Amino acid sequence: QVQLVESGGGLVQAGGSLRLSCAASGRTFSVYGMGYFRQPPGKEREFVAAIKWSGGNTYYADSVKGRFTISRDNAKNTVYLQMNSLKPEDTAVYYCAAASYDSSWPFNHRAYAYWGQGTQVTVSS
C-alpha cells in the first residue's frame, strides 16, 4: 500500500500562484509514476500533470502547459505541483495519485491505484 497526503490548496486571485505538495509513504518502491488530477464543480475528473518517478519525465494537459510545473524530491518521497498564472477555470478539487506500471499511464485515471484526499483550489476573478 502507498499512502498519499496532500497539502497546499487555498483561495487565490486570478494571476496568482499556489504550490501543492503530495507526500508518499509506505511501499513507495512500487511507484512508477505520480500525477495530479482535478475535478471542477459539476464536471468529471481530468488529468493535469504527471511525473515518472525514475527519470523525471513530465507530462501536462494542454490547458496547463506553460503555467504549471510538476517536480519531485525522491529523498522526501514528495511530488510538487507549482501553479502559476492561475485562472478561474483552474478552480477544482485537486487530487494527487500514484501508479505502479500501467500501459495507460499517465493520462488515464484508471492507471492510478492510490489517491490522496484531495485539496480545494479556488481562483477568484
Side-chain angles (χ1 to χ4, degrees):
Q1 294 283 352
V2 176
Q3 294 79 41
L4 302 174
V5 177
E6 303 183 55
S7 60
L11 172 65
V12 65
Q13 289 188 331
S17 298
L18 283 173
R19 189 177 81 156
L20 305 183
S21 300
C22 178
S25 61
R27 297 171 61 89
T28 56
F29 60 85
S30 68
V31 173
Y32 176 79
M34 294 184 67
Y36 273 95
F37 287 73
R38 67 186 181 187
Q39 188 162 16
K43 297 184 178 180
E44 294 187 352
R45 193 170 299 191
E46 62 185 27
F47 172 79
V48 176
I51 187 165
K52 191 177 175 184
W53 202 245
S54 176
N57 306 62
T58 57
Y59 307 84
Y60 297 95
D62 288 343
S63 59
V64 306
K65 278 181 183 176
R67 300 189 298 123
F68 291 11
T69 302
I70 190 168
S71 62
R72 79 206 191 289
D73 184 331
N74 288 32
K76 295 182 178 180
N77 288 331
T78 299
V79 170
Y80 305 97
L81 185 68
Q82 178 67 43
M83 305 185 294
N84 299 328
S85 302
L86 283 161
K87 305 175 181 180
E89 51 264 43
D90 294 317
T91 295
V93 177
Y94 282 70
Y95 296 92
C96 170
S100 301
Y101 177 74
D102 187 289
S103 61
S104 64
W105 188 87
F107 302 110
N108 190 332
H109 67 90
R110 294 182 178 86
Y112 297 80
Y114 307 103
W115 292 83
Q117 79 277 17
T119 186
Q120 177 70 45
V121 171
T122 302
V123 184
S124 63
S125 58

